[in-house]
Amino acid sequence: YQVHGEGGSSGIPLEQQERIFDVGVRLDPASPGAGLGLPLSRAIAEAHGGSLIVASAPGAGTTFTLALPLREV
């Protein structure tokens, strides 16, 4: 199962895309937050056998994709 969400940013440079999943990293120091949301979200997704990835390019915006395995009930 996959969910896609588009962010309101103007895009994230390729060389910084994996950094945003590091604890405490905020690309815009003026924005509020502690840099915990994306690292925690990725850790939770991976703990459940899924993933959280980013696709972005400067000027083109940013899309996050959360993928989780389906389980039979």
Side-chain angles (χ1 to χ4, degrees), residues 18-40:
E18 278 304 308
R19 285 191 59 237
I20 63 173
F21 295 105
D22 293 340
V23 173
V25 171
R26 293 181 308 134
L27 298 182
D28 179 3
S31 68
L36 297 175
L38 290 172
L40 286 174

Side-chain angles (χ1 to χ4, degrees), residues 2 7 9-10 16 18-20 23 26-27 30-31 33-34 37 40-41 45-47 49 55 64 68 70 72:
Q2 291 187 354
S9 77
S10 59
Q16 294 184 347
E18 278 304 308
R19 285 191 59 237
I20 63 173
V23 173
R26 293 181 308 134
L27 298 182
S31 68
L40 286 174
S41 297
E46 290 175 350
F64 290 92
L68 296 170
L70 290 176
E72 291 188 33

Side-chain angles (χ1 to χ4, degrees), residues 35-63:
L36 297 175
L38 290 172
L40 286 174
S41 297
R42 179 178 260 184
I44 292 168
E46 290 175 350
H48 291 278
S51 62
L52 177 62
I53 60 171
V54 62
S56 184
T62 302
T63 300

